Amino acid sequence: TTSRFDDRKSLAVAEVNAIGTAYLRTDMLPQEVADQSRELLRHYTADRFSALMSLDVDSVIAHRRTAESIQAQLWGIAMEQVEAAERPNPVLQYVASLNELIDVHQLRFTVGAQHRMPPVFWVALFVLTILTMVLGGYDSGVSDAPRRSFVNLSIALAFATVLILVVAMDRSAVGTKFINEGPYLDLHRSMGIQPRY
């Protein structure tokens, strides 16, 4: 779970870098399509940031559809420019950055939404927790020692905390709240857009 969480953090930074590179390389396009591409990339960035801040799984899926729609529009613009360009080399650099943007988006979705802790680990974790609580309760009930309810409460709180953290890190809709949104905010500023919270 920790490894996948680290992967999600790394991919968030990689996505910001890919978007920033594509945005800079719009300068290689003719002015009219450069402006259109920049506007689409601004919208894309705002949508990706909203997806990062969203806790609702349905909302995350809707953001994914929006992102893929914008990617298709950007790709269509790029392909038109490749066909029309007399010297396609600068346009191909822009195409390469768009390709990276699309690849990183797919990786983030795959790692964040589809790679989860296997169910057998969840079962083992919950069985271990329940068994520990039952044995602790049984020991307290049959022991001649004075009751120390604060010890049992401390153990229960420790197990609950571990379970909550594992769930938060494993579930992308919750775990993304622990990912630093600073790179996205920096990207918003560099594009001259106000992030939507």
Side-chain angles (χ1 to χ4, degrees):
T1 300
T2 304
S3 173
R4 271 196 329 279
F5 179 71
D6 289 339
D7 288 345
R8 291 203 317 253
K9 287 194 301 186
S10 299
L11 286 170
V13 173
E15 183 176 51
V16 167
N17 290 336
I19 295 169
T21 300
Y23 188 79
L24 289 174
R25 288 185 179 172
T26 57
D27 290 340
M28 299 174 176
L29 301 173
Q31 189 60 44
E32 64 277 2
V33 290
D35 291 340
Q36 183 183 4
S37 296
R38 283 187 202 105
E39 188 56 37
L40 283 169
L41 283 166
R42 285 186 195 105
H43 184 63
Y44 183 84
T45 303
D47 186 71
R48 297 304 299 137
F49 183 73
S50 295
L52 180 71
M53 296 292 100
S54 178
L55 291 177
D56 178 36
V57 174
D58 291 335
S59 177
V60 170
I61 292 170
H63 284 297
R64 181 181 188 209
R65 288 191 188 113
T66 300
E68 289 172 352
S69 171
I70 295 170
Q71 289 171 3
Q73 292 175 63
L74 287 165
W75 192 258
I77 291 169
M79 291 301 97
E80 287 173 7
Q81 296 310 304
V82 168
E83 291 171 5
E86 295 175 10
R87 292 184 317 107
N89 192 37
V91 177
L92 290 177
Q93 290 179 0
Y94 174 69
V95 169
S97 63
L98 274 183
N99 190 48
E100 183 182 0
L101 180 146
I102 292 166
D103 290 346
V104 171
H105 169 77
Q106 183 57 40
L107 272 172
R108 278 201 68 197
F109 181 78
T110 301
V111 170
Q114 295 176 343
H115 291 178
R116 296 277 173 82
M117 194 161 76
V120 68
F121 290 144
W122 284 114
V123 170
L125 194 58
F126 282 106
V127 166
L128 180 64
T129 301
I130 291 168
L131 185 61
T132 302
M133 297 301 113
V134 167
L135 288 175
Y138 178 77
D139 182 56
S140 292
V142 297
S143 175
D144 290 336
R147 296 188 188 269
R148 292 179 285 203
S149 58
F150 71 93
V151 173
N152 289 338
L153 180 61
S154 298
I155 291 171
L157 287 174
F159 269 87
T161 302
V162 168
L163 287 173
I164 289 168
L165 289 174
V166 170
V167 168
M169 291 176 72
D170 187 58
R171 302 296 173 197
S172 62
V174 177
T176 51
K177 286 308 216 180
F178 298 109
I179 295 176
N180 183 3
E181 69 271 7
Y184 284 93
L185 296 174
D186 291 340
L187 182 62
H188 277 77
R189 279 191 286 275
S190 73
M191 292 177 154
I193 56 177
Q194 184 68 29
R196 296 174 301 192
Y197 295 99

